Amino acid sequence: MSGYNSAMLLPLLFACTAPTEDTAASEHYDAPDSAGSFTAVSYQSTVTARGGETLPVQVWYPSREGDLGDVVEYDGIWTDQARSQGEAACGVPRPVILFSHGNGGVRWQSTFFTEMAAAHGYIVVAPDHVGNTLTDIGDVDRDTVALRRPHDIQDAYEWLLSESSTVGSRLYGCAQESDGYAVVGHSFGGFTSLFLSGAQIDTAALSSACETDGGGWLCGIPEIAQEAVVSRKDERIWAAVPMTPVGAQTFGAQLSAQDTPILVLGGELDDLTTMAQQVTPIYEGVGGSPAYLATLEGAGHYSFSVMCSLVPSFNGCGEGFLDHETTIRVTNELTLGFLGEQRGYEASAFLPTEGPVEWTAR
């Protein structure tokens, strides 16, 4: 398919007029194909994780202030659209998203989405999974990181709740625990989002599968896990969006324990977490409802991050792949439409009718 048309993807039923008061935020909903009513503001902080690690965290929040400071420079490497200053528009608590980066990724690796979500009124928090980032990958073995990653996300969420209740914090009043959060992740972060939203690891079954298949991505887990069935489910999660996820063999039959609404995104030309071996089996195995699978035609693994701008030779980047502008636009609209649906807005027609998307729903 070609000729992506966002007007056909998201009809006028999404259109809303921005409220003049933040107290109307609970009734306000920006069309997913719009730029959003707010300016995204971002800053970095740190979280002390339950294991004692210090995790850098990036926060994005919505603001309506006029003086918003400089454009944010992420770790001196990357800039996008977010600004450095501005009061959070938190007259009422905002919906919350926790983002999990990929293997060897970084907390700001998908600013095209995290900044857009903030412009649409979300609070977004993304920790670095220390020992598995762009600058320290390999410092912690991958199996240990796999079991710790969900805790990193939960610890970052607890930090947000603490900040939200602290007078004088930039995030005062921005979140309340009873509202919960959505979890979005790319690649290994997709695995993390599945784990958090209910998928479990049967260590005996994983060990058997690893012996049968001659190895696997996380075959060290049975040796270090303390439980026969490992669960990291967080009951506060109300939706999950794994982008190009890994973990089909790791979770196996226990994918069915995943039970939150879910949108799985994959790239047709992904040669790392392929549709055939990872993405489609994950979609077919999860137990969440509703469940959607969107395959972006011509997209690769790194199409769902900013890495194509940093390393143009990566899979999903440059000639032969779907242009990045289209990829990020479709990804944002699908994800924001899906999350809006789960928040109770009339979003049933966000399913694509044409464009570079193969769509499956159940």
Side-chain angles (χ1 to χ4, degrees), residues 59-109:
V59 181
W60 294 265
Y61 63 80
S63 179
R64 287 202 177 98
E65 280 199 352
D67 182 9
L68 295 163
D70 299 326
V71 173
V72 172
E73 188 173 19
Y74 299 100
D75 289 345
I77 297 174
W78 176 251
T79 59
D80 207 323
Q81 303 295 317
R83 307 299 287 271
S84 62
Q85 300 295 326
E87 183 178 351
C90 292
V92 295
R94 294 282 170 186
V96 174
I97 297 170
L98 271 289
F99 180 84
S100 178
H101 67 72
N103 184 48
V106 67
R107 65 194 183 282
W108 46 262
Q109 64 154 68

Side-chain angles (χ1 to χ4, degrees), residues 164-206:
S164 182
S165 64
T166 301
V167 176
S169 165
R170 291 177 73 168
L171 299 174
Y172 180 64
C174 284
Q176 59 184 14
E177 186 171 18
S178 59
D179 291 341
Y181 65 99
V183 59
V184 179
H186 173 251
S187 192
F188 205 0
F191 166 93
T192 308
S193 70
L194 292 164
F195 212 176
L196 277 163
S197 60
Q200 301 174 344
I201 300 174
D202 182 325
T203 55
L206 175 59

Side-chain angles (χ1 to χ4, degrees), residues 16-223:
C16 291
T17 301
T20 56
E21 299 291 337
D22 287 333
T23 52
S26 59
E27 289 79 37
H28 175 61
Y29 182 59
D30 285 322
D33 60 346
S34 74
S37 300
F38 304 92
T39 296
V41 176
S42 183
Y43 72 98
Q44 181 184 336
S45 188
T46 58
V47 169
T48 300
R50 65 191 68 186
E53 304 88 358
T54 298
L55 308 179
V57 293
Q58 198 75 34
V59 181
W60 294 265
Y61 63 80
S63 179
R64 287 202 177 98
E65 280 199 352
D67 182 9
L68 295 163
D70 299 326
V71 173
V72 172
E73 188 173 19
Y74 299 100
D75 289 345
I77 297 174
W78 176 251
T79 59
D80 207 323
Q81 303 295 317
R83 307 299 287 271
S84 62
Q85 300 295 326
E87 183 178 351
C90 292
V92 295
R94 294 282 170 186
V96 174
I97 297 170
L98 271 289
F99 180 84
S100 178
H101 67 72
N103 184 48
V106 67
R107 65 194 183 282
W108 46 262
Q109 64 154 68
S110 297
T111 52
F112 70 88
F113 170 71
T114 55
E115 291 187 354
M116 182 63 76
H120 280 245
Y122 289 87
I123 304 295
V124 186
V125 181
D128 273 348
H129 297 294
V130 172
N132 190 237
T133 74
L134 188 66
T135 57
D136 64 7
I137 186 170
D139 285 1
V140 180
D141 76 85
R142 196 163 56 193
D143 302 296
T144 298
V145 169
L147 297 179
R148 199 199 73 208
R149 274 171 156 264
H151 290 155
D152 291 348
I153 295 296
Q154 291 170 311
D155 292 339
Y157 182 55
E158 294 296 338
W159 171 84
L160 170 63
L161 294 175
S162 176
E163 289 292 297
S164 182
S165 64
T166 301
V167 176
S169 165
R170 291 177 73 168
L171 299 174
Y172 180 64
C174 284
Q176 59 184 14
E177 186 171 18
S178 59
D179 291 341
Y181 65 99
V183 59
V184 179
H186 173 251
S187 192
F188 205 0
F191 166 93
T192 308
S193 70
L194 292 164
F195 212 176
L196 277 163
S197 60
Q200 301 174 344
I201 300 174
D202 182 325
T203 55
L206 175 59
S207 180
S208 177
C210 288
E211 292 175 3
T212 301
D213 296 341
W217 201 66
L218 292 171
C219 283
I221 286 179
E223 298 178 9

